[in-house]
Amino acid sequence: MNKIPHLIMFDRIGSAGLGYISVAEVSKNIPFDVKRVYWTYYTPQDVIRGGHAHFELEQIIIAVSGIITFATEDSQGNKVDFILDSPEKGLFLPSKIWRDIKFSHNAVLLCLASKKYKDSDYIRDYEIFKKL
Ligand code: TYD
């Protein structure tokens, strides 16, 4: 898996009559050992979250409900927007990617993370990020 932000598609198992299940499994469709899982919810629609990058953390983000928009930028200034509008889609974020995130009112963001939480892994100053 190349180390640029990109969408991955999870298989959709099931049927319209029974409903569906999708699976994230380490080394099958997740390129790192998952050390942490978190989810965010009830984010107001007018709020932009994120506003940071990580020195080392890699993540897979899934909008398990609703629509979540990621505006990403690498430290060279390459910008790509991703719209997570289906629970079949995952967004792979390598380290050192700035992200600004918007949520629909019903959005639930699920994150699979490669490392435990460490505040010192956050880069919250955009000017410092651009100098990486
Ligand atoms: P943050 O990652 O800044 O959220 P967002 O990018 O969505 O704006 O985290 C928000 C708060 O939650 C911050 O105070 C740190 C805390 N937090 C943890 O304690 N553990 C975690 O694993 C995460 C992701 C956040």
Side-chain angles (χ1 to χ4, degrees):
M1 188 178 273
N2 45 355
K3 298 276 179 133
I4 57 172
H6 62 272
L7 290 176
I8 59 174
M9 292 303 291
F10 293 99
D11 288 341
R12 173 196 276 215
I13 304 165
S15 65
L18 291 172
Y20 298 101
I21 178 170
S22 294
V23 181
E25 191 170 324
V26 171
S27 78
K28 198 168 166 196
N29 54 4
I30 303 298
F32 49 77
D33 282 338
V34 176
K35 296 278 170 47
R36 176 165 55 107
V37 176
Y38 65 83
W39 48 101
T40 76
Y41 42 94
Y42 305 158
T43 309
Q45 287 203 109
D46 53 350
V47 166
I48 298 177
R49 296 198 55 154
H52 65 258
H54 289 278
F55 285 109
E56 293 188 352
L57 189 72
E58 297 186 336
Q59 294 160 293
I60 302 271
I61 311 282
I62 301 154
V64 290
S65 171
I67 300 173
I68 303 174
T69 308
F70 269 73
T72 70
E73 182 178 359
D74 69 17
S75 53
Q76 281 81 49
N78 298 303
K79 296 183 184 184
V80 187
D81 292 348
F82 296 94
I83 300 172
L84 300 177
D85 55 1
S86 158
E88 288 165 284
K89 287 184 189 172
L91 172 62
F92 173 73
L93 288 178
S95 60
K96 301 184 182 69
I97 299 292
W98 193 268
R99 80 289 307 271
D100 293 312
I101 317 165
K102 284 195 217 165
F103 297 80
S104 66
H105 73 281
N106 58 340
V108 179
L109 177 156
L110 180 70
C111 176
L112 312 179
S114 66
K115 291 183 181 297
K116 293 183 183 177
Y117 179 76
K118 194 167 79 169
D119 192 61
S120 61
D121 189 60
Y122 279 71
I123 311 161
R124 294 195 175 90
D125 185 320
Y126 186 72
E127 298 310 317
I128 292 174
F129 167 72
K130 293 294 279 181
K131 288 181 189 142
L132 286 179

